[in-house]
Amino acid sequence: MTSTVPASMTRTAEGAALQAVLLDMDGTLVDTEGFWWDAEVEVFAELGHQLDEAWRDVVVGGPMTRSAGYLMDVTGADITLAELTVLLNDRFEERIGRGVPLMPGAARLLAELARHEIPTALVSASHRRIIDRVLDSMGHHHFSLTVAGDEVSRTKPHPEPYLTAASGFGAAPERCAVIEDTATGVAAAEAAGCRVVAVPSVAPIAPASGRVVVRSLEEVDLAFLRSLVTGMR
């Protein structure tokens, strides 16, 4: 976990409704879910295997070990998980080095959260090296705390990443709003006890108790997040 949280920020205001906003990265803030799939397709092609498009919904949003492990199993590729992880991260890093497109509404939302001094964290299943490369493009200043998939013992869909982020702010999980784009991330946030806004990127996500599904970040603003936490939505 990387944090620049000042001591004063870790003591959330007593009685405050929304205490922190925790955001996923790939597919939520940056339009990179397709980058991951393209990297996987290219690497497996070089290993002599063609990926089925239907497998994309299975691996989207998952931690590297789960996604890579699944593709190894279904293709029978002759490679170790450690070797494959390096290849996929290298290929993905090449792609994001050419530029990272923001999702519609992302820049406006991050600017609003900063303007109102809302504690904001980036919580991703991606490895630290990938997060830092994306932040070089998106802007490190948007987040006072970041949690990478290789910095926790159990990553999404386990709640540990979101519990870690909430703890870093001294916030109660139920007073945190999470924005996610995949079922894996939604499961992690809900298991942590957070309120969730789902913005599906590849596979659909159904509405549920404590969860709101929207089509785009353009539908999300600070008032929306505050009302979600206080139960008005």
Side-chain angles (χ1 to χ4, degrees):
M1 179 176 71
T2 297
S3 174
T4 56
V5 185
S8 60
M9 188 179 290
T10 64
R11 297 189 294 273
T12 52
E14 184 177 355
L18 178 66
Q19 294 180 340
V21 176
L22 318 176
L23 302 110
D24 175 55
M25 186 176 75
D26 296 301
T28 300
L29 289 175
V30 290
D31 191 7
T32 51
E33 288 292 8
F35 286 19
W36 277 114
W37 179 247
D38 290 344
E40 289 159 348
V41 168
E42 289 177 5
V43 168
F44 274 89
E46 292 166 4
L47 295 172
H49 299 277
Q50 182 176 351
L51 299 188
D52 190 316
E53 185 71 22
W55 299 337
R56 183 174 183 174
D57 288 352
V58 179
V59 301
V60 66
M64 174 69 73
T65 51
R66 190 198 75 184
S67 300
Y70 172 83
L71 294 175
M72 286 172 58
D73 289 343
V74 294
T75 62
D78 184 18
I79 189 172
T80 68
L81 182 59
E83 291 169 335
L84 180 57
T85 297
V86 171
L87 291 177
L88 291 174
N89 273 324
D90 286 348
R91 191 61 53 87
F92 183 76
E93 197 167 355
E94 288 175 14
R95 286 183 168 271
I96 62 177
R98 305 169 200 160
V100 181
L102 288 175
M103 297 297 286
R108 187 264 316 150
L109 177 60
L110 291 173
E112 182 181 18
L113 295 175
R115 188 165 62 250
H116 290 272
E117 300 184 340
I118 303 298
T120 304
L122 186 68
V123 184
S124 177
S126 292
H127 289 188
R128 170 56 57 188
R129 60 180 281 199
I130 299 299
I131 288 180
D132 286 344
R133 283 299 300 274
V134 172
L135 287 175
D136 286 343
S137 177
M138 184 168 55
H140 292 259
H141 63 281
H142 292 300
F143 309 97
S144 50
L145 187 151
T146 60
V147 179
D150 57 341
E151 295 174 338
V152 291
S153 57
R154 293 160 296 186
T155 189
K156 304 174 188 180
H158 195 276
E160 182 179 346
Y162 282 111
L163 291 174
T164 299
S167 176
F169 284 133
E174 65 272 17
R175 294 295 187 180
C176 296
V178 169
I179 304 179
E180 273 279 359
D181 73 304
T182 68
T184 298
V186 167
E190 290 180 342
C194 303
R195 294 289 184 171
V196 179
V197 178
V199 193
S201 62
V202 176
I205 299 173
S209 177
R211 176 198 313 167
V212 174
V213 181
V214 298
R215 292 169 297 180
S216 164
L217 287 180
E218 293 179 320
E219 299 178 34
V220 180
D221 58 15
L222 181 54
F224 180 100
L225 296 174
R226 281 174 168 157
S227 66
L228 180 69
V229 168
T230 57
M232 293 175 60
R233 284 187 182 269

